[in-house]
Amino acid sequence: MPTVSDQPEPKSSLSVLKNAKRIVRYVAERCSQPNDFGSFDISIYDTAWLAMIQDPVVPGCWLFPESYSYLLIHQTENGMWPTHGLPMNGILNTLAALLALVKHQKSDTISNNMGNHDPIEAHDVLKRVEKARGALQSALNDCDMNQLLNVGCKMLVPGLLRQLGEEGVVFEFESQSTLATMYQQALAKFDSDDLVFTQPTTLIDSLEAFVDVVDFSLLRNYCSAERGIMGSPASTAAYLVGSPERDARAQAYLENVVRKFGSCGGVPSGFPTLAFEMSWIISTLFSSNFIVEDFRDCNFHAVTQYLRKVISDQGNLHGSVPTCLTDVDDTARCMLALTLLDAHIDQAALINELEERVNHFESYKFKSTTCVSANCSILLMLLTSPNVDQYISQIEKALTLICRCWNAKILQNEKNVTAEHTCMLLTYAMYQLLRVYAQGSLRNVSVDVIETEVPIILIQLLGRTLSEHKGNGSWGDSVERTSFGVLLISYALKLPWPSSIRGHAKAAFFQAKAYLEAHSNEGATGDLIWINKVTYRLPTLAETYCLAAINSSIEEQSWTPEVEQIFGMDANKMNKLASFFGRLPLLQNLLEATMTFAIHEAAMYFKRLKQVRLDIFPRDDMAVSTDKYLQYIPVAWTTINATNGFILSGDEMWEMIVLSMLNYQADEYMESVVARLAETSSQDLAAMIKSEVRNGEPEAKTQVVSSPIKPDRDLSPTPSDFEDIAIVVSKYIRHVKLHPALMQSPKSAQIHVTQELEKFLLAHMAHNSDSARLRKHRQSQGSALVDWHDQVPYYDWARTTGANDTSCPYSFAFFCCLISSDESHCLVSMEQKYLAREMCLHLATLCRQYNDFGSARRDDQEDNLNSLHFPEFTDEDGRGMSCQKTAENTGREDYLEKANVLLMKVAGIERALMQVCWDALSSGLNKEVRAKLKAFIDITDLFGQIYVARDIASKVKR
């Protein structure tokens, strides 16, 4: 691994500074004419709307024929307009462009009024329409409408489909009903007053969806010659198309935009955008080692005066275009920029307006999405406030939302579509939070969030970002995305990470910086990753981020012992865990860096897990050895999540880590406490379990195979002990039944989970009875084999009691609810559910056999029934190889080894059968569900491999 001293020196800091100052001067000079500046590149979508405006003076002619020509030039061979890597781009671009073509096709002046452009024959337009129609139909069929980029798309797609339908162009596709539902849900967020636009809302920014639906004459007070309607060419064009009266201000605005972009007919998705671009440029540069004093000759006075005026004119809230709909993200960025320029502004008015919003800061007023980027900007603004502790409640509100969204993998970013940009913002916000905390502030913020949740998120942000780092030093072969990655690492490494984490991150940092320096001439190009309604390039910010990244450093700050302890790890223990897990077959191909991050992520989960280990089971009062499995459980989940592309969210990971711990504890409790109950008490407990689980549900037969007998020990609990046991078991059952993942699932799914839970608990009791029978026989017969003539065959036992008490079927049913959307289930058909049950049965049986292979010695010492105790595991002469005691007492260890080999052969059969079921099941699942269920299979398999390598279960003290 390269060290810091091995890295090439970066380009002259003077060169970087010179270019940064050039950008700042460039935007500062535009402060005198802010309505004539914008760097967004041309948008097909917005251009299409200009192509639909008829000339108000010359009947039958078009106001912007050059925009129509621009559309024709950029239609692709397949009939669509460019997607730029995002299906929704292509759909929106093609919907609008096709609508423009249809309108022109119906016009009597198709071949006229083309200015200096070549006329287009009517039959050529018809061919283009049909080609676009067919391509769009295919795109709609293939698109997941749940992945619409923003709330505007939920309005625009159905709105444009409606207008095309009115022109005779009708589409039908599978997710149409889903889209219609989303459209109605979006509309339901607004009352009737909003629908006539009595105040600014996102609807005004999406006027294209309401042509011929809303009286646009009500919008005249939102239009200006400088900014049109909300600074949106598409909305302004739609306003002109649908307005009963011509508004000269809207026309003047659009004509100005066309001129500013070279009169080619193409226009951007937003104009003017000086406030937006300036805020992000300033806040980005001065968050990455640039010093304000070095820019004193860049007319910061003009910059600060302009930004102050923008906020003042907007009543504290502003959007990317002054006098447009209020955008909290841009406002926070503007205030952050002013703070970094030592030009503080009173935040009270902004905070007061936002305070009425209960759970989070929304990006736009009345917007139904939860925007992580906006809350990061809000958090940064508050953390840089000179009186930060005044805003504790607001900081907690934003922080809670950010953590919740990250843990749920809901990373809505209203500005940029890349994961790197969102993760960079999150990392910087978390770093600043800990920096302020280390200075003695924020002492009323939840300690658990500061010391547990935030560090977990930080290591996940860093580890997942590094996992996408390419061998050439880039992220996605993109200068802009690589800039985001470099900045993320630079922010993260200011924290006191262990040396192993720092080593991997440093290597990636210097490699990525070398890539940026080698491609610095591409820095001002930018990628189509910024988002309005469709994606666009933003060259000014692309170059800003590149310069900020090249200028960044990874120098660790000085931290208080309190913060250092949060990130402290036992290096020796981490290395041992990495070595052990790296030898397991499922993880042998995991990269060293990925394993390192997974181990350290698990260590942070382990700290959190210790806080809840006694929430249900009184483990410290039980006669069992140390719960060493507690440290293995988080590692198993973090490593398997890494091998599966981090498909599981933080919430899903944590819930399954807790469930895995509870499964181990339930197993311990059943073997060490419940097993000591007398037969009548056991029967009473079984009845209580059924009643508690079913809670009024009709009684169903529970398939467990047992031979209950009365334990012959003097340790049977007293009546008061029985009551304590019943309370603990009831608490466990209620924990599962009342879990939010179940409560939001369909009733049938809830019943399935509780049925499997009942089988799990009763199977443990049946297993206890079988073990007691084994123990009694040994006490009377010595180490001789049990007379099994009245015992069920191993095949039946392994698939009932043996499989059910592994917790695999119950955990799988719970996991399916956990990964499902609200009020739905990931397994939708009867066939899928049947295959899943069959697959899970083989998986559970496989789990039992691996478990018994690893725990054979402990089970034999504790007289706990193991697969190898069954008579099927005998030699060719029928002599017993069934237990460790027998083998040791007779000197026949070789027979025991043969039994183990036979057990693994049987496990191989179960694996093959499981794979057949999985192949049949997975082919009909959607990509995300398939990947998550695969992770569950792998984690179950991994626990089996752990048992083969090392018995991590606790020993019952006799």
Side-chain angles (χ1 to χ4, degrees):
M1 181 183 299
T3 64
V4 176
S5 59
D6 297 328
Q7 303 307 321
E9 287 295 321
K11 289 185 176 180
S12 170
S13 58
L14 291 177
S15 173
V16 174
L17 177 61
K18 178 181 177 181
N19 286 322
K21 292 170 72 172
R22 171 179 49 81
I23 293 176
V24 173
R25 286 196 189 98
Y26 176 66
V27 294
E29 290 168 358
R30 270 63 188 174
C31 290
S32 61
Q33 292 182 310
N35 295 325
D36 284 337
F37 176 81
S39 301
F40 294 15
D41 74 338
I42 290 176
S43 159
I44 291 289
Y45 176 81
D46 289 74
T47 300
W49 278 99
L50 267 70
M52 297 183 222
I53 306 173
Q54 293 189 339
D55 193 312
V57 178
V58 184
C61 293
W62 304 95
L63 187 60
F64 296 105
E66 62 270 40
S67 296
Y68 182 57
S69 295
Y70 190 93
L71 291 182
L72 298 175
I73 292 169
H74 288 85
Q75 187 176 16
T76 64
E77 279 297 316
N78 69 357
M80 293 280 286
W81 275 262
T83 64
H84 303 306
L86 287 175
M88 192 49 60
N89 271 343
I91 288 175
L92 276 175
N93 285 338
T94 303
L95 280 169
L98 177 57
L99 183 59
L101 259 65
V102 170
K103 288 180 178 292
H104 278 256
Q105 180 194 1
K106 290 190 173 184
S107 171
D108 294 330
T109 58
I110 292 177
S111 57
N112 297 324
N113 196 37
M114 294 298 294
N116 296 325
H117 303 279
D118 295 332
I120 304 298
E121 296 296 333
H123 69 274
D124 183 53
V125 175
L126 180 60
K127 289 180 181 178
R128 286 174 177 270
V129 167
E130 290 306 314
K131 202 170 185 180
R133 186 173 183 171
L136 183 57
Q137 179 67 68
S138 297
L140 290 169
N141 289 338
D142 297 337
C143 185
D144 180 3
M145 290 299 168
N146 289 306
Q147 302 301 317
L148 291 176
L149 293 179
N150 51 48
V151 69
C153 291
K154 297 176 183 179
M155 299 288 192
L156 295 174
V157 174
L160 287 165
L161 287 170
R162 172 186 59 79
Q163 293 172 65
L164 280 168
E166 292 169 356
E167 298 289 347
V169 181
V170 178
F171 295 92
E172 294 182 359
F173 48 97
E174 185 176 351
S175 57
Q176 198 160 10
S177 59
T178 301
L179 182 60
T181 300
M182 292 169 66
Y183 182 45
Q184 294 302 321
Q185 289 174 344
L187 283 176
K189 299 293 182 182
F190 313 103
D191 59 30
S192 59
D193 286 340
D194 293 315
L195 292 177
V196 294
F197 307 101
T198 58
Q199 54 184 316
T201 72
T202 48
L203 294 176
I204 299 179
D205 197 39
S206 305
L207 283 186
E208 312 92 87
F210 303 102
V211 173
D212 299 328
V213 172
V214 172
D215 182 1
F216 283 178
S217 65
L218 298 169
L219 298 176
R220 292 185 64 85
N221 58 317
Y222 294 112
C223 184
S224 72
E226 296 78 23
R227 305 175 189 94
I229 298 286
M230 316 307 284
S232 167
S235 286
T236 307
Y239 168 66
L240 282 179
V241 169
S243 181
E245 300 177 1
R246 181 61 49 168
D247 192 325
R249 297 170 302 174
Q251 182 174 331
Y253 163 76
L254 292 175
E255 289 172 343
N256 181 49
V257 178
V258 170
R259 282 195 302 272
K260 292 297 179 183
F261 281 77
S263 299
C264 64
V267 295
S269 58
F271 188 90
T273 55
L274 179 60
F276 166 72
E277 295 185 51
M278 183 180 290
S279 298
W280 282 82
I281 288 170
I282 296 297
S283 62
T284 298
L285 289 177
F286 297 112
S287 298
S288 57
N289 288 354
F290 284 106
I291 302 172
V292 173
E293 284 72 17
D294 291 336
F295 289 76
R296 291 303 181 187
D297 58 345
C298 293
N299 196 8
F300 273 159
H301 177 73
V303 172
T304 56
Q305 288 297 104
Y306 171 69
L307 293 179
R308 284 179 184 275
K309 186 175 186 302
V310 165
I311 292 181
S312 175
D313 289 348
Q314 291 298 125
N316 297 300
L317 289 170
H318 82 88
S320 57
V321 184
T323 73
C324 82
L325 106 107
T326 53
D327 182 345
V328 174
D329 197 349
D330 291 343
T331 300
R333 276 284 152 181
C334 185
M335 290 187 167
L336 179 60
L338 287 168
T339 300
L340 292 170
L341 294 176
D342 296 322
H344 294 278
I345 191 168
D346 184 15
Q347 300 171 351
L350 169 66
I351 300 302
N352 289 338
E353 182 164 347
L354 295 173
E355 193 63 21
E356 63 188 39
R357 301 174 195 183
V358 178
N359 295 317
H360 55 82
F361 298 99
E362 297 174 348
S363 179
Y364 290 105
K365 282 186 177 180
F366 313 113
K367 181 163 283 192
S368 61
T369 54
T370 299
C371 183
V372 173
S373 61
N375 282 271
C376 284
S377 295
I378 283 285
L379 184 57
L380 288 169
M381 176 194 74
L382 296 171
L383 291 171
T384 55
S385 172
N387 49 350
V388 61
D389 281 329
Q390 179 181 338
Y391 300 115
I392 288 291
S393 64
Q394 292 82 8
I395 288 172
E396 280 201 304
K397 187 181 296 184
L399 179 60
T400 299
L401 184 280
I402 290 170
C403 294
R404 187 183 304 152
C405 287
W406 171 261
N407 287 326
K409 291 184 76 171
I410 304 173
L411 301 180
Q412 183 76 24
N413 186 334
E414 298 287 351
K415 297 293 187 288
N416 192 291
V417 298
T418 64
E420 293 85 5
H421 187 262
T422 304
C423 291
M424 176 202 65
L425 295 178
L426 281 165
T427 303
Y428 185 52
M430 297 295 186
Y431 151 68
Q432 286 290 359
L433 177 81
L434 291 175
R435 183 188 64 81
V436 174
Y437 181 77
Q439 293 173 349
S441 297
L442 309 179
R443 295 298 151 166
N444 290 327
V445 174
S446 167
V447 174
D448 183 61
V449 172
I450 293 287
E451 297 186 358
T452 304
E453 195 163 3
V454 167
I456 289 174
I457 292 174
L458 277 166
I459 198 168
Q460 290 173 342
L461 284 163
L462 187 56
R464 282 146 180 71
T465 300
L466 290 183
S467 72
E468 298 296 324
H469 189 223
K470 299 184 67 173
N472 66 356
S474 76
W475 276 268
D477 297 314
S478 160
V479 170
E480 196 166 2
R481 290 174 60 188
T482 303
S483 300
F484 302 152
V486 168
L487 287 171
L488 183 151
I489 297 173
S490 74
Y491 300 143
L493 288 190
K494 289 177 171 45
L495 294 162
W497 294 103
S499 59
S500 55
I501 295 295
R502 294 192 68 83
H504 289 297
K506 278 184 178 180
F509 177 82
F510 287 114
Q511 189 182 17
K513 283 190 75 170
Y515 176 89
L516 290 180
E517 290 163 0
H519 296 79
S520 59
N521 60 322
E522 305 169 23
T525 302
D527 300 325
L528 287 153
I529 56 178
W530 295 88
I531 179 71
N532 191 333
K533 295 165 187 173
V534 292
T535 57
Y536 61 90
R537 289 185 181 88
L538 192 46
T540 54
L541 271 186
E543 185 175 10
T544 296
Y545 274 112
C546 183
L547 293 171
I550 293 174
N551 194 58
S552 64
S553 71
I554 53 173
E555 181 180 357
E556 182 181 345
Q557 291 185 192
S558 296
W559 294 94
T560 62
E562 182 182 18
V563 174
E564 289 178 345
Q565 186 178 3
I566 294 173
F567 292 87
M569 301 284 176
D570 184 333
N572 185 48
K573 187 175 291 184
M574 297 298 99
N575 291 335
K576 287 182 178 179
L577 283 170
S579 176
F580 172 76
F581 277 88
R583 292 193 300 269
L584 300 177
L586 266 174
L587 303 176
Q588 286 179 349
N589 295 325
L590 203 60
L591 296 175
E592 179 192 353
T594 307
M595 176 65 79
T596 299
F597 276 92
I599 294 292
H600 284 77
E601 179 186 350
M604 292 183 173
Y605 274 121
F606 173 64
K607 292 180 182 179
R608 186 180 179 188
L609 194 60
K610 288 193 295 184
Q611 297 173 7
V612 300
R613 63 184 285 272
L614 300 179
D615 282 1
I616 294 179
F617 291 98
R619 197 197 180 281
D620 289 350
D621 298 328
M622 293 157 50
V624 289
S625 61
T626 304
D627 47 355
K628 58 183 179 180
Y629 56 79
L630 208 65
Q631 197 158 41
Y632 287 78
I633 290 171
V635 180
W637 281 100
T638 57
T639 52
I640 286 299
N641 198 34
T643 61
N644 285 275
F646 304 104
I647 185 63
L648 299 178
S649 70
D651 284 340
E652 291 163 345
M653 288 268 291
W654 172 243
E655 293 298 340
M656 293 309 297
I657 286 172
V658 172
L659 188 76
S660 299
M661 177 193 71
L662 292 176
N663 291 344
Y664 272 95
Q665 291 181 336
D667 183 76
E668 292 174 336
Y669 195 74
M670 286 294 181
E671 289 186 14
S672 66
V673 178
V674 174
R676 301 185 181 192
L677 287 174
E679 181 177 0
T680 54
S681 296
S682 293
Q683 293 172 352
D684 290 342
L685 183 62
M688 185 279 292
I689 289 172
K690 292 180 181 180
S691 175
E692 186 74 31
V693 168
R694 300 177 187 186
N695 194 22
E697 295 295 330
E699 185 168 345
K701 290 184 179 180
T702 302
Q703 187 181 20
V704 291
V705 180
S706 62
S707 305
I709 64 170
K710 179 179 179 179
D712 56 343
R713 291 181 241 178
D714 297 329
L715 299 174
S716 299
T718 64
S720 62
D721 291 332
F722 175 81
E723 292 176 3
D724 292 340
I725 291 172
I727 290 172
V728 171
V729 174
S730 176
K731 189 175 182 180
Y732 175 55
I733 292 171
R734 289 177 180 273
H735 169 80
V736 177
K737 289 184 65 177
L738 298 178
H739 193 282
L742 260 67
M743 300 300 289
Q744 66 187 20
S745 297
K747 187 65 176 178
S748 59
Q750 295 181 39
I751 292 174
H752 180 209
V753 173
T754 55
Q755 287 174 338
E756 294 297 344
L757 175 62
E758 178 181 321
K759 287 194 287 185
F760 167 61
L761 293 173
L762 295 183
H764 264 297
M765 299 187 71
H767 202 154
N768 285 344
S769 296
D770 287 334
S771 296
R773 185 165 176 262
L774 171 66
R775 188 179 307 110
K776 184 174 183 180
H777 184 86
R778 281 181 164 179
Q779 289 173 349
S780 60
Q781 302 291 329
S783 60
L785 288 176
V786 178
D787 180 6
W788 291 100
H789 71 275
D790 61 344
Q791 176 64 29
V792 297
Y794 174 70
Y795 177 91
D796 295 334
W797 180 87
R799 280 167 171 72
T800 52
T801 300
N804 288 330
D805 76 347
T806 63
S807 80
C808 179
Y810 143 60
S811 297
F812 180 76
F814 179 91
F815 182 76
C816 286
C817 290
L818 186 65
I819 66 172
S820 299
S821 302
D822 291 356
E823 299 181 359
S824 65
H825 197 263
C826 61
L827 303 174
V828 295
S829 68
M830 181 271 180
E831 180 184 9
Q832 287 180 351
K833 293 174 182 177
Y834 190 92
L835 282 169
R837 294 285 289 270
E838 184 68 15
M839 179 204 74
C840 192
L841 174 60
H842 293 299
L843 185 62
T845 308
L846 172 68
C847 181
R848 162 53 56 202
Q849 290 159 345
Y850 270 76
N851 184 309
D852 285 359
F853 180 96
S855 63
R857 183 182 298 272
R858 174 174 55 82
D859 286 340
D860 208 57
Q861 291 173 347
E862 297 177 0
D863 294 328
N864 187 35
L865 182 64
N866 184 288
S867 293
L868 296 182
H869 287 128
F870 280 79
E872 284 86 342
F873 295 95
T874 57
D875 64 11
E876 60 275 8
D877 298 324
R879 292 175 297 179
M881 318 180 286
S882 62
C883 69
Q884 186 72 17
K885 286 181 180 178
T886 300
E888 291 177 348
N889 291 343
T890 60
R892 296 167 60 225
E893 289 85 354
D894 57 326
Y895 293 127
L896 178 64
E897 180 61 28
K898 289 180 181 179
N900 280 327
V901 171
L902 182 58
L903 181 61
M904 287 296 96
K905 285 184 178 180
V906 175
I909 296 172
E910 293 296 337
R911 181 183 297 280
L913 293 172
M914 183 272 293
Q915 190 63 47
V916 169
C917 294
W918 171 243
D919 291 341
L921 172 63
S922 61
S923 61
L925 301 173
N926 71 49
K927 182 178 179 180
E928 182 177 1
V929 171
R930 181 167 61 249
K932 289 185 176 182
L933 293 186
K934 172 63 165 53
F936 182 91
I937 293 172
D938 286 349
I939 194 71
T940 306
D941 198 3
L942 184 68
F943 275 119
Q945 293 179 9
I946 290 172
Y947 265 108
V948 170
R950 181 178 298 171
D951 183 8
I952 64 172
S954 303
K955 293 180 173 60
V956 177
K957 298 177 181 179
R958 302 298 182 184

Short mmCIF file of all heavy atoms in Angstrom, two decimals, residues 40 222 230 520 557 602 695 838:
data_model
loop_
_atom_site.label_atom_id
_atom_site.label_comp_id
_atom_site.label_asym_id
_atom_site.label_seq_id
_atom_site.Cartn_x
_atom_site.Cartn_y
_atom_site.Cartn_z
N PHE A 40 -26.37 26.34 -16.94
CA PHE A 40 -26.98 25.05 -17.26
C PHE A 40 -26.85 24.81 -18.76
O PHE A 40 -27.00 25.74 -19.56
CB PHE A 40 -28.46 25.04 -16.90
CG PHE A 40 -28.77 25.13 -15.43
CD1 PHE A 40 -27.82 25.53 -14.50
CD2 PHE A 40 -30.04 24.82 -14.96
CE1 PHE A 40 -28.12 25.62 -13.15
CE2 PHE A 40 -30.35 24.91 -13.62
CZ PHE A 40 -29.39 25.30 -12.71
N TYR A 222 -46.97 35.76 -11.27
CA TYR A 222 -45.73 35.01 -11.11
C TYR A 222 -44.79 35.15 -12.29
O TYR A 222 -43.73 34.52 -12.32
CB TYR A 222 -46.03 33.52 -10.87
CG TYR A 222 -46.74 33.26 -9.58
CD1 TYR A 222 -48.06 32.82 -9.57
CD2 TYR A 222 -46.10 33.48 -8.36
CE1 TYR A 222 -48.72 32.61 -8.38
CE2 TYR A 222 -46.76 33.27 -7.17
CZ TYR A 222 -48.07 32.83 -7.18
OH TYR A 222 -48.73 32.62 -5.99
N MET A 230 -40.97 31.34 -12.74
CA MET A 230 -40.07 30.62 -11.85
C MET A 230 -38.70 30.32 -12.46
O MET A 230 -38.02 29.38 -12.06
CB MET A 230 -40.71 29.29 -11.38
CG MET A 230 -42.17 29.40 -10.98
SD MET A 230 -42.46 30.68 -9.74
CE MET A 230 -41.86 29.90 -8.28
N SER A 520 -7.26 17.13 -15.60
CA SER A 520 -7.75 18.44 -15.16
C SER A 520 -8.28 19.28 -16.32
O SER A 520 -9.12 20.15 -16.11
CB SER A 520 -6.63 19.20 -14.44
OG SER A 520 -5.51 19.37 -15.30
N GLN A 557 -7.32 16.03 12.10
CA GLN A 557 -7.41 17.10 13.08
C GLN A 557 -7.09 16.57 14.48
O GLN A 557 -7.05 15.37 14.73
CB GLN A 557 -8.81 17.70 13.07
CG GLN A 557 -9.14 18.47 11.83
CD GLN A 557 -10.50 19.15 11.92
OE1 GLN A 557 -11.02 19.64 10.94
NE2 GLN A 557 -11.08 19.18 13.10
N ALA A 602 -18.75 -3.68 11.62
CA ALA A 602 -19.34 -4.64 12.55
C ALA A 602 -18.97 -4.30 13.99
O ALA A 602 -19.80 -4.47 14.91
CB ALA A 602 -18.88 -6.05 12.20
N ASN A 695 -53.08 -15.36 19.73
CA ASN A 695 -53.83 -14.18 20.19
C ASN A 695 -55.18 -14.07 19.52
O ASN A 695 -55.53 -13.06 18.90
CB ASN A 695 -53.02 -12.91 19.93
CG ASN A 695 -53.58 -11.71 20.67
OD1 ASN A 695 -54.28 -11.86 21.67
ND2 ASN A 695 -53.27 -10.54 20.17
N GLU A 838 -40.48 -24.00 0.27
CA GLU A 838 -39.73 -25.23 -0.01
C GLU A 838 -38.22 -24.96 0.04
O GLU A 838 -37.45 -25.74 0.61
CB GLU A 838 -40.12 -25.77 -1.39
CG GLU A 838 -39.46 -27.09 -1.77
CD GLU A 838 -39.96 -28.26 -0.92
OE1 GLU A 838 -41.00 -28.11 -0.25
OE2 GLU A 838 -39.31 -29.32 -0.93
#
